[in-house]
PDB file of all heavy atoms in Angstrom:
ATOM      1  N   LEU A 536      35.804 -20.769  -2.248  1.00 98.00           N
ATOM      2  CA  LEU A 536      35.735 -19.321  -1.941  1.00 98.00           C
ATOM      3  C   LEU A 536      34.488 -19.087  -1.124  1.00 98.00           C
ATOM      4  O   LEU A 536      33.367 -19.320  -1.598  1.00 98.00           O
ATOM      5  CB  LEU A 536      35.715 -18.494  -3.228  1.00 98.00           C
ATOM      6  CG  LEU A 536      35.515 -16.961  -3.057  1.00 98.00           C
ATOM      7  CD1 LEU A 536      36.650 -16.374  -2.247  1.00 98.00           C
ATOM      8  CD2 LEU A 536      35.373 -16.296  -4.422  1.00 98.00           C
ATOM      9  N   ASP A 537      34.666 -18.611   0.097  1.00 98.00           N
ATOM     10  CA  ASP A 537      33.525 -18.350   1.000  1.00 98.00           C
ATOM     11  C   ASP A 537      33.336 -16.812   1.066  1.00 98.00           C
ATOM     12  O   ASP A 537      34.170 -16.102   1.674  1.00 98.00           O
ATOM     13  CB  ASP A 537      33.824 -18.918   2.366  1.00 98.00           C
ATOM     14  CG  ASP A 537      32.721 -18.600   3.397  1.00 98.00           C
ATOM     15  OD1 ASP A 537      31.602 -18.255   2.959  1.00 98.00           O
ATOM     16  OD2 ASP A 537      32.986 -18.767   4.608  1.00 98.00           O
ATOM     17  N   CYS A 538      32.245 -16.307   0.485  1.00 97.00           N
ATOM     18  CA  CYS A 538      31.994 -14.883   0.475  1.00 97.00           C
ATOM     19  C   CYS A 538      30.990 -14.525   1.587  1.00 97.00           C
ATOM     20  O   CYS A 538      30.066 -15.235   1.856  1.00 97.00           O
ATOM     21  CB  CYS A 538      31.396 -14.484  -0.893  1.00 97.00           C
ATOM     22  SG  CYS A 538      32.508 -14.802  -2.270  1.00 97.00           S
ATOM     23  N   PHE A 539      31.227 -13.355   2.179  1.00 96.00           N
ATOM     24  CA  PHE A 539      30.460 -12.898   3.367  1.00 96.00           C
ATOM     25  C   PHE A 539      30.647 -13.915   4.493  1.00 96.00           C
ATOM     26  O   PHE A 539      29.721 -14.414   5.060  1.00 96.00           O
ATOM     27  CB  PHE A 539      28.990 -12.734   3.049  1.00 96.00           C
ATOM     28  CG  PHE A 539      28.678 -11.901   1.832  1.00 96.00           C
ATOM     29  CD1 PHE A 539      28.416 -12.487   0.599  1.00 96.00           C
ATOM     30  CD2 PHE A 539      28.670 -10.488   1.924  1.00 96.00           C
ATOM     31  CE1 PHE A 539      28.159 -11.708  -0.539  1.00 96.00           C
ATOM     32  CE2 PHE A 539      28.429  -9.732   0.800  1.00 96.00           C
ATOM     33  CZ  PHE A 539      28.146 -10.325  -0.430  1.00 96.00           C
ATOM     34  N   SER A 540      31.915 -14.211   4.767  1.00 96.00           N
ATOM     35  CA  SER A 540      32.278 -15.385   5.608  1.00 96.00           C
ATOM     36  C   SER A 540      31.956 -15.189   7.064  1.00 96.00           C
ATOM     37  O   SER A 540      31.905 -16.152   7.808  1.00 96.00           O
ATOM     38  CB  SER A 540      33.742 -15.665   5.461  1.00 96.00           C
ATOM     39  OG  SER A 540      34.513 -14.565   5.942  1.00 96.00           O
ATOM     40  N   ASN A 541      31.803 -13.913   7.536  1.00 94.00           N
ATOM     41  CA  ASN A 541      31.619 -13.673   8.951  1.00 94.00           C
ATOM     42  C   ASN A 541      32.761 -14.321   9.683  1.00 94.00           C
ATOM     43  O   ASN A 541      33.942 -14.215   9.351  1.00 94.00           O
ATOM     44  CB  ASN A 541      30.261 -14.117   9.407  1.00 94.00           C
ATOM     45  CG  ASN A 541      29.812 -13.367  10.668  1.00 94.00           C
ATOM     46  OD1 ASN A 541      30.223 -13.720  11.770  1.00 94.00           O
ATOM     47  ND2 ASN A 541      29.025 -12.331  10.525  1.00 94.00           N
ATOM     48  N   VAL A 558      39.455 -19.781   0.727  1.00 98.00           N
ATOM     49  CA  VAL A 558      39.628 -18.328   0.908  1.00 98.00           C
ATOM     50  C   VAL A 558      38.304 -17.804   1.460  1.00 98.00           C
ATOM     51  O   VAL A 558      37.242 -18.087   0.947  1.00 98.00           O
ATOM     52  CB  VAL A 558      39.958 -17.648  -0.399  1.00 98.00           C
ATOM     53  CG1 VAL A 558      40.048 -16.130  -0.189  1.00 98.00           C
ATOM     54  CG2 VAL A 558      41.299 -18.140  -0.952  1.00 98.00           C
ATOM     55  N   ALA A 559      38.401 -17.036   2.567  1.00 98.00           N
ATOM     56  CA  ALA A 559      37.220 -16.466   3.209  1.00 98.00           C
ATOM     57  C   ALA A 559      37.306 -14.941   3.122  1.00 98.00           C
ATOM     58  O   ALA A 559      38.313 -14.315   3.453  1.00 98.00           O
ATOM     59  CB  ALA A 559      37.130 -16.881   4.681  1.00 98.00           C
ATOM     60  N   VAL A 560      36.191 -14.334   2.627  1.00 98.00           N
ATOM     61  CA  VAL A 560      36.191 -12.894   2.394  1.00 98.00           C
ATOM     62  C   VAL A 560      35.051 -12.271   3.177  1.00 98.00           C
ATOM     63  O   VAL A 560      33.894 -12.727   3.105  1.00 98.00           O
ATOM     64  CB  VAL A 560      36.039 -12.574   0.909  1.00 98.00           C
ATOM     65  CG1 VAL A 560      36.056 -11.081   0.647  1.00 98.00           C
ATOM     66  CG2 VAL A 560      37.074 -13.283   0.086  1.00 98.00           C
ATOM     67  N   ASP A 561      35.348 -11.165   3.910  1.00 97.00           N
ATOM     68  CA  ASP A 561      34.301 -10.391   4.588  1.00 97.00           C
ATOM     69  C   ASP A 561      34.800  -8.980   4.780  1.00 97.00           C
ATOM     70  O   ASP A 561      36.018  -8.770   4.899  1.00 97.00           O
ATOM     71  CB  ASP A 561      33.981 -10.981   5.961  1.00 97.00           C
ATOM     72  CG  ASP A 561      32.639 -10.550   6.491  1.00 97.00           C
ATOM     73  OD1 ASP A 561      32.552  -9.378   7.004  1.00 97.00           O
ATOM     74  OD2 ASP A 561      31.668 -11.314   6.405  1.00 97.00           O
ATOM     75  N   VAL A 590      33.028  -7.764  -0.863  1.00 95.00           N
ATOM     76  CA  VAL A 590      32.868  -8.968  -1.693  1.00 95.00           C
ATOM     77  C   VAL A 590      32.699  -8.616  -3.164  1.00 95.00           C
ATOM     78  O   VAL A 590      33.290  -9.272  -4.050  1.00 95.00           O
ATOM     79  CB  VAL A 590      31.709  -9.834  -1.173  1.00 95.00           C
ATOM     80  CG1 VAL A 590      31.358 -10.944  -2.197  1.00 95.00           C
ATOM     81  CG2 VAL A 590      32.073 -10.462   0.175  1.00 95.00           C
ATOM     82  N   TYR A 593      36.056  -7.686  -4.480  1.00 96.00           N
ATOM     83  CA  TYR A 593      36.924  -8.828  -4.491  1.00 96.00           C
ATOM     84  C   TYR A 593      36.612  -9.707  -5.682  1.00 96.00           C
ATOM     85  O   TYR A 593      37.490 -10.122  -6.441  1.00 96.00           O
ATOM     86  CB  TYR A 593      36.835  -9.610  -3.212  1.00 96.00           C
ATOM     87  CG  TYR A 593      37.778 -10.799  -3.134  1.00 96.00           C
ATOM     88  CD1 TYR A 593      39.085 -10.622  -2.673  1.00 96.00           C
ATOM     89  CD2 TYR A 593      37.403 -12.058  -3.550  1.00 96.00           C
ATOM     90  CE1 TYR A 593      39.943 -11.682  -2.644  1.00 96.00           C
ATOM     91  CE2 TYR A 593      38.261 -13.131  -3.498  1.00 96.00           C
ATOM     92  CZ  TYR A 593      39.541 -12.952  -3.037  1.00 96.00           C
ATOM     93  OH  TYR A 593      40.428 -14.007  -3.009  1.00 96.00           O
ATOM     94  N   LEU A 594      35.343  -9.987  -5.906  1.00 95.00           N
ATOM     95  CA  LEU A 594      34.923 -10.822  -7.048  1.00 95.00           C
ATOM     96  C   LEU A 594      35.285 -10.167  -8.339  1.00 95.00           C
ATOM     97  O   LEU A 594      35.702 -10.839  -9.316  1.00 95.00           O
ATOM     98  CB  LEU A 594      33.437 -11.110  -6.981  1.00 95.00           C
ATOM     99  CG  LEU A 594      32.967 -12.068  -5.850  1.00 95.00           C
ATOM    100  CD1 LEU A 594      31.441 -12.195  -5.899  1.00 95.00           C
ATOM    101  CD2 LEU A 594      33.623 -13.424  -5.975  1.00 95.00           C
ATOM    102  N   ILE A 607      31.940 -22.081  -4.659  1.00 98.00           N
ATOM    103  CA  ILE A 607      31.785 -20.750  -4.100  1.00 98.00           C
ATOM    104  C   ILE A 607      30.569 -20.708  -3.241  1.00 98.00           C
ATOM    105  O   ILE A 607      29.515 -21.232  -3.589  1.00 98.00           O
ATOM    106  CB  ILE A 607      31.650 -19.716  -5.270  1.00 98.00           C
ATOM    107  CG1 ILE A 607      32.896 -19.689  -6.093  1.00 98.00           C
ATOM    108  CG2 ILE A 607      31.342 -18.324  -4.697  1.00 98.00           C
ATOM    109  CD1 ILE A 607      32.801 -18.697  -7.267  1.00 98.00           C
ATOM    110  N   VAL A 608      30.706 -20.084  -2.058  1.00 98.00           N
ATOM    111  CA  VAL A 608      29.584 -19.927  -1.118  1.00 98.00           C
ATOM    112  C   VAL A 608      29.225 -18.447  -1.064  1.00 98.00           C
ATOM    113  O   VAL A 608      30.079 -17.581  -0.826  1.00 98.00           O
ATOM    114  CB  VAL A 608      29.987 -20.413   0.313  1.00 98.00           C
ATOM    115  CG1 VAL A 608      28.790 -20.252   1.248  1.00 98.00           C
ATOM    116  CG2 VAL A 608      30.440 -21.877   0.267  1.00 98.00           C
ATOM    117  N   LEU A 609      27.973 -18.165  -1.328  1.00 97.00           N
ATOM    118  CA  LEU A 609      27.414 -16.785  -1.181  1.00 97.00           C
ATOM    119  C   LEU A 609      26.364 -16.790  -0.096  1.00 97.00           C
ATOM    120  O   LEU A 609      25.285 -17.370  -0.272  1.00 97.00           O
ATOM    121  CB  LEU A 609      26.785 -16.342  -2.515  1.00 97.00           C
ATOM    122  CG  LEU A 609      27.710 -16.245  -3.756  1.00 97.00           C
ATOM    123  CD1 LEU A 609      26.877 -15.789  -4.947  1.00 97.00           C
ATOM    124  CD2 LEU A 609      28.838 -15.270  -3.495  1.00 97.00           C
ATOM    125  N   ASP A 610      26.688 -16.194   1.035  1.00 95.00           N
ATOM    126  CA  ASP A 610      25.774 -16.100   2.152  1.00 95.00           C
ATOM    127  C   ASP A 610      25.706 -14.680   2.648  1.00 95.00           C
ATOM    128  O   ASP A 610      26.162 -14.343   3.756  1.00 95.00           O
ATOM    129  CB  ASP A 610      26.180 -17.063   3.276  1.00 95.00           C
ATOM    130  CG  ASP A 610      25.181 -17.098   4.394  1.00 95.00           C
ATOM    131  OD1 ASP A 610      23.987 -16.808   4.133  1.00 95.00           O
ATOM    132  OD2 ASP A 610      25.553 -17.410   5.560  1.00 95.00           O
ATOM    133  N   PRO A 611      25.135 -13.746   1.807  1.00 91.00           N
ATOM    134  CA  PRO A 611      25.167 -12.340   2.166  1.00 91.00           C
ATOM    135  C   PRO A 611      24.133 -11.981   3.261  1.00 91.00           C
ATOM    136  O   PRO A 611      23.203 -12.738   3.450  1.00 91.00           O
ATOM    137  CB  PRO A 611      24.835 -11.626   0.838  1.00 91.00           C
ATOM    138  CG  PRO A 611      23.958 -12.637   0.139  1.00 91.00           C
ATOM    139  CD  PRO A 611      24.493 -13.980   0.511  1.00 91.00           C
ATOM    140  N   LEU A 631      25.864 -10.035  -8.163  1.00 94.00           N
ATOM    141  CA  LEU A 631      26.701 -10.920  -7.352  1.00 94.00           C
ATOM    142  C   LEU A 631      26.804 -12.316  -7.989  1.00 94.00           C
ATOM    143  O   LEU A 631      27.923 -12.899  -8.092  1.00 94.00           O
ATOM    144  CB  LEU A 631      26.141 -11.001  -5.943  1.00 94.00           C
ATOM    145  CG  LEU A 631      26.874 -11.838  -4.907  1.00 94.00           C
ATOM    146  CD1 LEU A 631      28.200 -11.214  -4.573  1.00 94.00           C
ATOM    147  CD2 LEU A 631      26.008 -11.963  -3.632  1.00 94.00           C
TER     148      LEU A 631
END
Side-chain angles (χ1 to χ4, degrees):
L536 175 62
D537 178 16
C538 299
F539 308 97
S540 64
N541 202 280
V558 176
V560 183
D561 198 282
V590 168
Y593 183 87
L594 289 177
I607 296 177
V608 180
L609 297 179
D610 185 24
L631 182 67

